[in-house]
Amino acid sequence: MTGTERTWSITELAEEFGITLRTIRFYEEQGLLTPARNGTRRIFADGDRVRLGLVLRGKRLGFPLDEIKKIIGMYDAEPGEVGQLRYLLDQIEQRRAELEMRRRDIDATLSDLADLERRCRADLERLSV
Amino acid sequence: MTGTERTWSITELAEEFGITLRTIRFYEEQGLLTPARNGTRRIFADGDRVRLGLVLRGKRLGFPLDEIKKIIGMYDAEPGEVGQLRYLLDQIEQRRAELEMRRRDIDATLSDLADLERRCRADLERLSV
DNA sequence: CTTGACGCTTACGTTAACGTAAGTTTGGGC
DNA sequence: GCCCAAACTTACGTTAACGTAAGCGTCAAG
């Protein structure tokens, strides 16, 4: 019996993640979250909280919500049959390729910024001496 | 006299980058591009082409256009005075922090995908033996 | 029992980033 | 001189991802 049965209210999660109630409700509406209910009130369990974290991580990466939904959906897919597994592996490969391209873009941009910074510092040097 | 004075038409650039004419015109409207004109027709020089590449890289990273505008604006800022340079260095630092966070997010996601792939392959193994 | 604080459900408004006509110009080839 | 492909300029439409009321339910505290 793992005693870690803590739950969260919608405001608690919103404050923790720095988002609004509307956003959380919207994510549920879009099928990204499926919190339990106590009457009409939403009750968020540990799994819901983790999923919300994944959604926000996807957002920080600039993915649209329906893409994020697919990615997260991959995580909690049941083993299933061989065809499903092959399809899933294919999807994983696609996401990986996408993410690696993004990393290349990031590295290129960081490199550009580094160049720019060098030039800036050189200019400062010239002006201050 | 560098003889590399080649120019491009709007359709040429659109085809090269796989975007529409509308998109290019929209970017100009937003001040992201400022091609020369021959009468009413847009003439794109080498610099315009590079800028367009930077815009699209920013888009792949999921940045909004006005953010992209600021970042690109940093690249071709004239040396200027000391205050400007300090401000620019500060901006560079902010972008860098943002980009490094994104890279961490990417690495975390790639790691999750790798886990998932291992599980998939294990499941496939069990089913096929 | 009433009063907040918290939560809920419509439902219309908003912004970004183009899409999509619709009608007009223009420069080069026959 | 005529024509067509390539461009151009309005200008309204669209989608995603929430924002922003407005109005109602509820339950623990005073």
Side-chain angles (χ1 to χ4, degrees):
Chain A
M1 289 126 188
T2 61
T4 46
E5 300 295 319
R6 167 150 194 213
T7 62
W8 291 264
S9 76
I10 188 170
T11 19
E12 283 172 339
L13 277 194
E15 284 176 359
E16 174 176 353
F17 287 102
I19 57 182
T20 70
L21 306 189
R22 175 64 170 116
T23 298
I24 294 182
R25 294 191 187 118
F26 181 71
Y27 290 166
E28 181 184 7
E29 197 178 319
Q30 301 301 307
L32 290 165
L33 301 173
T34 47
R37 299 272 178 150
N38 177 13
T40 75
R41 317 214 149 174
R42 281 164 252 257
I43 307 291
F44 297 83
D46 221 60
D48 300 311
R49 190 161 153 279
V50 170
R51 283 179 73 95
L52 180 52
L54 291 176
V55 172
L56 296 177
R57 190 175 78 186
K59 280 222 61 188
R60 285 197 303 273
L61 290 176
F63 283 109
L65 289 184
D66 58 344
E67 267 275 294
I68 295 175
K69 187 174 176 182
K70 288 182 200 163
I71 297 178
I72 295 184
M74 289 169 31
Y75 293 154
D76 42 34
E78 287 302 310
E81 22 142 351
V82 176
Q84 288 277 341
L85 284 173
R86 291 199 188 290
Y87 174 77
L88 189 49
L89 280 172
D90 182 64
Q91 290 295 308
I92 292 173
E93 193 45 43
Q94 285 191 28
R95 307 301 159 187
R96 193 209 317 278
E98 166 93 29
L99 287 170
E100 274 164 358
M101 178 167 107
R102 275 170 192 245
R103 194 161 53 177
R104 280 194 299 277
D105 283 331
I106 285 182
D107 289 344
T109 307
L110 281 172
S111 160
D112 287 354
L113 286 179
D115 280 3
L116 184 56
E117 183 179 356
R118 267 189 292 278
R119 277 186 289 158
C120 273
R121 295 204 185 283
D123 286 347
L124 264 182
E125 194 80 6
R126 280 192 307 104
L127 290 181
S128 66
V129 173
Chain B
M1 295 122 183
T2 61
T4 45
E5 299 296 318
R6 168 154 193 211
T7 64
W8 290 264
S9 76
I10 189 171
T11 19
E12 283 172 339
L13 277 193
E15 283 176 0
E16 174 177 353
F17 287 102
I19 57 183
T20 70
L21 306 188
R22 175 66 170 116
T23 299
I24 294 182
R25 295 193 185 114
F26 181 71
Y27 289 166
E28 181 185 6
E29 198 179 320
Q30 301 302 306
L32 290 165
L33 301 174
T34 48
R37 297 272 178 152
N38 177 12
T40 74
R41 315 212 152 175
R42 281 164 252 255
I43 307 290
F44 296 84
D46 220 59
D48 299 312
R49 190 162 154 278
V50 170
R51 281 178 75 93
L52 179 53
L54 290 176
V55 172
L56 296 177
R57 190 174 79 186
K59 280 222 59 188
R60 286 197 302 274
L61 290 176
F63 283 109
L65 289 184
D66 57 344
E67 267 275 296
I68 295 175
K69 188 175 176 180
K70 288 182 202 165
I71 297 179
I72 294 184
M74 289 169 30
Y75 292 155
D76 42 32
E78 286 304 308
E81 22 142 353
V82 176
Q84 287 275 340
L85 283 172
R86 293 202 187 289
Y87 174 76
L88 189 50
L89 280 171
D90 183 63
Q91 289 296 307
I92 291 174
E93 192 46 44
Q94 286 190 27
R95 307 300 158 187
R96 194 209 315 279
E98 166 92 28
L99 287 170
E100 273 164 359
M101 180 167 104
R102 275 171 193 243
R103 194 161 54 176
R104 282 195 298 278
D105 283 333
I106 285 182
D107 289 343
T109 308
L110 280 171
S111 160
D112 286 355
L113 286 179
D115 281 3
L116 184 57
E117 182 179 356
R118 268 190 290 279
R119 277 186 289 157
C120 272
R121 294 203 186 284
D123 286 347
L124 264 182
E125 192 80 6
R126 282 193 305 102
L127 289 180
S128 66
V129 172

